[in-house]
Amino acid sequence: MHALTLISFLFFTGLVALITWWLTRRDDHESTNGYFLAGRSLTFPLIAGSLLMTNLSTEQMVGLNGAAFSDGLSVMAWEVIAVIALVALALFFLPRFLRSGIATLPQLLAIRFDNGTQLIANIIFLIAYAVILLPIILYSGAMGLQGMLDLPGLTGIQSSTTLLWLTVWVVGIIGALYALFGGLRTVAVSDTLNGVGLLIGGFLIVYVGLQAVSGGEGVLAGWELLKASDPQKLNSIGGPEQQVPFSTVFTGVLLLHLFYWTTNQQIIQRTFAAKNLAEGQKGVLLTGAFKLLGPLYLVLPGIIAYHLYADQGVRADEAYGHLVFNVLPPYLTGFFAAVMVGAILSSFNSALNSTTTIFSLGIYKGVLKKDASEEQVVKSGKVFGWIMALTTMTIAPLLAGQESLFGYLQKMNAIYFIPLLAVVLVGLLTKRVPPMAAKVALVGGCLLIAAGYFVPPFDKLPGIMHEFHFVAAVFVLLVAVMLLIGKLRPRATPWVHEDSGEVDLTPWKGAVPSAVVLVVLVILLYGAFAG
């Protein structure tokens, strides 16, 4: 059994690596445009596949299903509300990003404000990715694999701590190889291949899970049994005691989605590499359509696991791995573990690729060595990438013991998500707000939210008003402060957003109709399961 699982795992992992190498072997990995932006050549299937897989890592598969194990269908807000943010990206943000011809979001802040604002944003991104994002991807991936593959049986290592360190380092090194030797197009191609596998595997888990619920009587019988035995788990409207109370969908949850999908370098870098605006919009809106399916494979398995294992003492973040291990046959367990490794790798290598892009273009070329050649800039990214990879592989195992991995991730992300979103929005929507306002908002916003989480007596605020309402209040405050500074000390001349001429900015004719359909479907989905 173990041999079959391991063989199928190695076969599928190796197959994705081989196809990716074959498709990208002649790519330009030497110039900054080729390495960091895939030569601005990405078409909509690659953009959608890469967006989906960069987002879909094990902190989603393990963490969100774990949240569903605890709270039920209400946590689908972390998938479904993403559609609204993706519509905003396609119609508002992406045309402005591509007009600027940027490779990193902080470069936009340099164009709109000044180089000092860009430097602060670069530093915020680098610290956040090193301390929050990359370690959580590796830790959640290692936890998911331990649950799925029976690693003690496969390796003979019984110590869970040793296994955790070993898994983190193996996955981290493979991910670093993809990201640092291949560049963005390699990441996008491997993401898309893994994305196909993940969707197949995700729906397969739902199918065999519902079969297990019904005792082999069929999927529909399993669904009916689930509705009858656990109706409280199938309510899309979150109660006040749950992780996502319904009211927070319109405040902090929506704002976190807006930052994540519209101003998060790790995600939007592949949209900067779009061949033209029309391809970018198609890719972003196709991703929105896939996110509507998210509750099926990212929430429902957690509810199935609750039905099957709630009385067995299974912890929330162990639920998904436990379900996969118990309901899939060994050859499919290996395939699914390979897909999961692909999901971990895609998020890890995308974040690492974005980190090296920010460092190389923003810090190395922008501050340390302004006359650096193309070759030196790419080399600096690879060296820094290895330093970052080794740092995060050391931090990741230290995250063991968090109560809710997904909840912890959202909470920590808010510290830098909210200030950056406020600055980008005000920057794009106003002409006179000066650089000083952006700097005050970036530094002050991060400090305010961190104080609200960790510094007494301010840490009582998120408890009184729910932490998602708290971060929304900070967002409103930051916008107000920036507008006030803009009123009192405006720029001498209004900012003009010039076209860089890098890509064709003709929009896709179907963008607005598709966006309207997606928003209507979000409302219908919530209405269908409102209890």
Side-chain angles (χ1 to χ4, degrees):
M1 179 176 173
H2 286 152
L4 195 56
T5 300
L6 192 60
I7 289 165
S8 62
F9 167 70
L10 293 172
F11 173 75
F12 285 109
T13 305
L15 187 64
V16 169
L18 182 66
I19 296 171
T20 301
W21 169 79
W22 178 258
L23 291 175
T24 62
R25 69 194 188 285
R26 292 196 178 95
D27 285 2
D28 169 18
H29 295 151
E30 303 305 318
S31 73
T32 54
N33 192 41
Y35 186 75
F36 296 122
L37 283 178
R40 294 196 190 273
S41 65
L42 295 189
T43 52
F44 79 92
L46 284 177
I47 292 168
S50 192
L51 278 172
L52 197 67
M53 280 302 285
T54 300
N55 167 243
L56 263 180
S57 185
T58 38
E59 79 267 17
Q60 299 278 108
M61 302 292 281
V62 174
L64 195 49
N65 276 302
F69 182 89
S70 303
D71 283 359
L73 197 59
S74 63
V75 300
M76 78 175 190
W78 292 120
E79 282 298 293
V80 176
I81 303 303
V83 178
I84 308 295
L86 284 159
V87 165
L89 173 60
L91 301 185
F92 177 77
F93 289 92
L94 190 58
R96 288 160 176 80
F97 292 156
L98 293 181
R99 172 183 286 273
S100 306
I102 51 176
T104 73
L105 186 85
Q107 283 178 342
L108 178 72
L109 299 183
I111 293 168
R112 170 60 181 87
F113 296 109
D114 63 3
N115 290 333
T117 310
Q118 178 189 15
L119 182 61
I120 293 168
N122 280 329
I123 291 167
I124 289 171
F125 267 122
L126 291 178
I127 293 172
Y129 283 8
V131 178
I132 301 169
L133 181 68
L134 287 162
I136 283 181
I137 291 169
L138 287 181
Y139 170 70
S140 62
M143 290 302 292
L145 284 176
Q146 281 191 29
M148 257 176 245
L149 282 179
D150 182 26
L151 289 179
L154 279 169
T155 61
I157 300 169
Q158 296 306 312
S159 164
S160 59
T161 306
T162 306
L163 273 175
L164 179 61
W165 279 88
L166 183 68
T167 315
V168 161
W169 277 74
V170 168
V171 171
I173 288 168
I174 296 170
L177 290 171
Y178 264 105
L180 302 178
F181 286 113
L184 183 64
R185 188 163 184 272
T186 304
V187 170
V189 170
S190 64
D191 284 357
T192 305
L193 294 171
N194 280 313
V196 174
L198 194 71
L199 288 172
I200 293 168
F203 289 122
L204 193 63
I205 296 297
V206 174
Y207 176 80
V208 293
L210 287 172
Q211 286 279 19
V213 169
S214 69
E217 295 294 313
V219 172
L220 289 177
W223 173 244
E224 291 301 326
L225 195 60
L226 214 56
K227 284 201 296 187
S229 62
D230 305 299
Q232 79 285 359
K233 293 284 182 188
L234 294 171
N235 185 359
S236 61
I237 309 298
E241 301 303 313
Q242 295 187 324
Q243 292 176 44
V244 190
F246 188 61
S247 60
T248 65
V249 166
F250 305 98
T251 59
V253 172
L254 178 60
L255 287 173
L256 289 173
H257 272 301
L258 270 176
F259 170 84
Y260 183 87
W261 290 103
T262 67
T263 44
N264 182 4
Q265 179 69 27
Q266 176 211 9
I267 289 290
I268 58 174
Q269 189 169 331
R270 52 265 316 117
T271 67
F272 296 162
K275 193 174 180 181
N276 52 48
L277 175 58
E279 287 296 310
Q281 288 179 319
K282 285 182 207 169
V284 168
L285 293 169
L286 180 59
T287 308
F290 279 122
K291 294 307 280 181
L292 284 171
L293 300 174
L296 264 179
Y297 55 94
L298 290 172
V299 178
L300 189 54
I303 299 169
I304 292 169
Y306 176 83
H307 178 86
L308 294 173
Y309 312 121
D311 57 353
Q312 295 177 21
V314 173
R315 284 176 51 233
D317 284 333
E318 295 170 350
Y320 192 67
H322 197 75
L323 178 70
V324 172
F325 183 72
N326 282 285
V327 299
L328 279 186
Y331 59 93
L332 286 177
T333 307
F335 157 71
F336 197 70
V339 168
M340 286 288 277
V341 167
I344 305 158
L345 292 179
S346 70
S347 289
F348 184 71
N349 60 26
S350 296
L352 204 54
N353 183 269
S354 297
T355 306
T356 58
T357 307
I358 288 170
F359 174 79
S360 299
L361 301 180
I363 306 286
Y364 184 75
K365 174 86 171 166
V367 179
L368 301 178
K369 193 173 172 62
K370 294 187 178 181
D371 60 346
S373 66
E374 294 265 301
E375 191 182 346
Q376 286 174 319
V377 173
V378 172
K379 187 180 177 184
S380 76
K382 291 180 178 179
V383 172
F384 182 77
W386 278 112
I387 294 167
M388 185 67 96
L390 293 169
T391 304
T392 55
M393 285 187 274
T394 306
I395 294 172
L398 308 178
L399 292 173
Q402 288 298 330
E403 191 177 323
S404 171
L405 202 58
F406 200 74
Y408 173 77
L409 177 65
Q410 300 307 330
K411 182 175 173 176
M412 296 302 288
N413 277 345
I415 295 172
Y416 69 104
F417 275 20
I418 295 297
L420 280 161
L421 178 63
V423 170
V424 170
L425 266 177
V426 171
L428 290 174
L429 290 171
T430 66
K431 306 292 181 191
R432 292 275 191 172
V433 172
M436 185 182 77
K439 290 167 186 156
V440 167
L442 283 176
V443 177
C446 291
L447 292 175
L448 263 177
I449 296 174
Y453 286 163
F454 304 116
V455 181
F458 306 108
D459 59 355
K460 290 188 171 59
L461 271 174
I464 295 167
M465 62 196 302
H466 196 282
E467 64 195 46
F468 293 141
H469 290 321
F470 166 69
V471 296
V474 173
F475 175 80
V476 172
L477 177 65
L478 295 178
V479 170
V481 167
M482 288 183 74
L483 293 176
L484 182 64
I485 294 172
K487 197 79 175 163
L488 298 175
R489 299 188 60 179
R491 279 173 57 123
T493 56
W495 174 63
V496 178
H497 195 177
E498 293 173 358
D499 185 354
S500 67
E502 289 282 348
V503 292
D504 177 6
L505 294 175
T506 309
W508 176 44
K509 287 189 177 69
V512 173
S514 301
V516 171
V517 169
L518 287 174
V519 172
V520 170
L521 287 173
V522 168
I523 296 165
L524 291 175
L525 191 58
Y526 259 95
F529 291 98

